[in-house]
Amino acid sequence: MTGDELPAAARLWLVAAEWELRHADARERDETLEGLRSHIAEALDRGERVEDILAGLGSPADVADGVDRKTGDLPGPQVAGEPVPARTRRRRVGADGSTGAGRVVHLIGFGLALLGAGWFSLLPGYVESTIDPATGQISGPTTHLLLFTMDPRAAGALAAAVLLTVVPLLVRRRPVRPVAVWIGALMVLLAVATTGWNVGWFLLPAAAATVVAAVLPNGSRKRRRRDGVAAVGRRLRVGYRGAARTPIVGPMNAAIIACGAPGGVGIQSGVDASDTGPARPRIGYGRSAEGHQRVSVSSSLLASGSTSVVPTAAGAISGVAASCPAAASGAGPIASIA
Amino acid sequence: MVNSERVLTSLRRGLVEFCTLAILRDGPAYGLDMARRLQSDGLIAGQSTLYPMLARVLSSGLAESEWVESPSGRPRKYYTLTDEGHEALRVFEESWGPLRDAVDHTLRRSS
């Protein structure tokens, strides 16, 4: 009795068993199926019912369990040289769906995001000098870091962005992480593209790492934080003084001039059209403290020449500009008088 | 959830092959006969699990097979233990006794 001569139920059972053995070594699979066919035929010749025979054999899936002995706890005599079933050759993937490489790159991206945020926060926000209206003596300049001078909302957003970078690392469910990583990567790239050489510059290394993590098989989740950082970056650029500065502005921070205007007259508002498209109030604020006026001006405004400063007293501004250290050092005029 | 069937399945792996070799030590045997002996001894749940094991035994050289005409007229595939199979079975028997005693000792001491 050949396989084709077996009852339909037996043939179906054998087809199912063959499917279950699809990962097994071809030679062992053929040998196994041959033994099963012989078993069924022999039992049929003894007059047994096919239903009873198949019930005695058990489920076709049990055959595969017998093949996949690599999962067993006790090695048998054929371990040495035994072909490894294909199902055991799968690349090791974490429970969260990330590969080791993807996770490492993701961690690197997180570190870069943290570094970028820290670097940005520690940049000089402005340099402040004060002029005593009574004596005309200039004190300072004093450097103020962005960490302490940026808008609280911007600082909060920056911190939130760092936290968002951590969240994807903590996501364990497989379907979630790859999606988070890809969305984060795309958003960070978009943020870098839209912020140009401002905050985006700080995000660029992390963005690159996030993209690499995203393209890795079952990639990691680094980009999501980037994304948040990027979104924060846009707000930062708009929302705090000196935000138009870029890393290349670091040396130029010396040219960020803060001058007080004597006589209660000072720069009250500024317009930065250098990189944000529509002009918007960016820099310059007036604050009275014991008769001193403190004004900060972004160096990028000075460099671009697009700054428009509206003084309350043109003459006073001119005088201040002439006495400011940056102006004296050749950094250019502090402001043009409207 | 660990149940008795799961524990038995784990324990059977690796052991059943040596039990199969032990059956063959008594002389050539064919699949249906061995499957039912193993099942009646409670060493396998489904008879089909014997055949992938036999395939491995053959490929590893611990046994060999040949087709022999049976009284019923249908050729039967008989399995015979090789010298390597005898040696593997001997090593297993030497190891099994101490292992079984160690397990029993541990279980008794922890109970």
Side-chain angles (χ1 to χ4, degrees):
Chain A
M1 183 180 295
T2 65
D4 293 338
E5 297 169 335
L6 295 176
R11 295 201 302 271
L12 287 174
W13 193 98
L14 288 170
V15 169
E18 186 174 4
W19 168 255
E20 296 290 345
L21 292 168
R22 63 191 181 281
H23 296 300
D25 175 76
R27 182 178 174 184
E28 292 189 5
R29 179 180 63 241
D30 294 342
E31 179 68 32
T32 299
L33 292 174
E34 184 183 72
L36 290 168
R37 278 191 292 268
S38 178
H39 178 106
I40 295 172
E42 176 75 17
L44 286 172
D45 285 347
R46 294 184 181 182
E48 300 178 18
R49 297 192 313 155
V50 66
E51 294 83 358
D52 297 334
I53 298 170
L54 298 181
L57 287 172
S59 168
D62 295 341
V63 183
D65 290 341
V67 171
D68 193 9
R69 69 189 311 276
K70 285 292 183 182
T71 60
D73 297 329
L74 300 174
Q78 288 83 23
V79 170
E82 176 184 355
V84 179
R87 66 173 63 182
T88 66
R89 296 175 183 165
R90 293 172 182 165
R91 189 166 46 85
R92 298 186 66 176
V93 175
D96 53 359
S98 67
T99 62
R103 183 170 182 81
V104 169
V105 175
H106 197 163
L107 287 171
I108 292 174
F110 165 70
L112 291 174
L114 199 61
L115 179 64
W119 185 11
F120 193 80
S121 299
L122 295 178
L123 283 175
Y126 65 91
V127 178
E128 180 184 71
S129 295
T130 58
I131 300 176
D132 189 329
T135 63
Q137 186 175 2
I138 300 175
S139 62
T142 302
T143 301
H144 298 265
L145 301 180
L146 293 178
L147 179 62
F148 304 108
T149 59
M150 70 174 68
D151 188 292
R153 292 172 299 179
L158 198 62
V162 174
L163 293 176
L164 285 175
T165 311
V166 175
V167 171
L169 288 169
L170 304 177
V171 174
R172 309 301 297 176
R173 286 188 301 171
R174 188 168 187 161
V176 177
R177 177 176 289 179
V179 174
V181 169
W182 272 108
I183 292 177
L186 294 176
M187 293 184 68
V188 168
L189 287 178
L190 180 62
V192 170
T194 55
T195 57
W197 296 109
N198 286 319
V199 178
W201 175 265
F202 294 86
L203 302 177
L204 192 58
T210 306
V211 170
V212 171
V215 299
L216 287 174
N218 299 306
S220 64
R221 59 298 181 196
K222 189 80 172 181
R223 285 301 171 190
R224 187 167 63 173
R225 174 191 276 193
R226 267 294 185 239
D227 186 12
V229 172
V232 171
R234 286 199 295 271
R235 291 196 295 272
L236 280 175
R237 189 177 63 174
V238 173
Y240 78 101
R241 292 166 292 122
R245 285 172 300 120
T246 69
I248 60 173
V249 179
M252 296 177 64
N253 283 329
I256 299 176
I257 310 303
C259 294
V265 178
I267 301 172
Q268 294 180 335
S269 63
V271 176
D272 179 8
S274 62
D275 60 353
T276 58
R280 66 184 65 191
R282 170 62 63 84
I283 61 165
Y285 68 102
R287 185 172 59 175
S288 295
E290 297 177 352
H292 296 176
Q293 297 289 329
R294 293 188 296 182
V295 180
S296 66
V297 181
S298 168
S299 62
S300 64
L301 303 183
L302 301 175
S304 68
S306 60
T307 302
S308 174
V309 180
V310 180
T312 55
I317 290 296
S318 296
V320 170
S323 61
C324 279
S329 64
I334 297 173
S336 59
I337 305 302
Chain B
M1 177 67 72
V2 177
N3 54 44
S4 60
E5 186 60 33
R6 186 173 176 180
V7 171
L8 282 174
T9 300
S10 180
L11 290 174
R12 286 166 179 159
R13 286 197 171 115
L15 296 177
V16 177
E17 291 185 4
F18 292 103
C19 293
T20 303
L21 297 180
I23 292 175
L24 294 177
R25 185 169 55 184
D26 298 334
Y30 57 96
L32 179 63
D33 182 39
M34 287 190 289
R36 298 199 167 165
R37 287 177 61 181
L38 290 170
Q39 190 178 43
S40 64
D41 291 341
L43 291 172
I44 58 175
Q47 298 169 16
S48 63
T49 56
L50 168 69
Y51 295 96
M53 188 168 49
L54 285 175
R56 288 195 303 273
V57 168
L58 289 176
S59 63
S60 61
L62 299 178
E64 55 190 14
S65 64
E66 63 174 342
W67 289 97
V68 178
E69 292 293 334
S70 68
S72 62
R74 173 180 300 280
R76 288 175 178 165
K77 192 173 191 177
Y78 278 86
Y79 298 85
T80 306
L81 203 60
T82 64
D83 292 340
E84 292 181 27
H86 281 287
E87 176 63 15
L89 186 58
R90 184 190 65 78
V91 172
F92 172 77
E93 287 180 319
E94 289 180 356
S95 304
W96 173 246
L99 176 63
R100 179 193 56 207
D101 294 343
V103 171
D104 290 342
H105 176 71
T106 301
L107 291 176
R108 282 195 300 267
R109 187 172 55 183
S110 61
S111 62

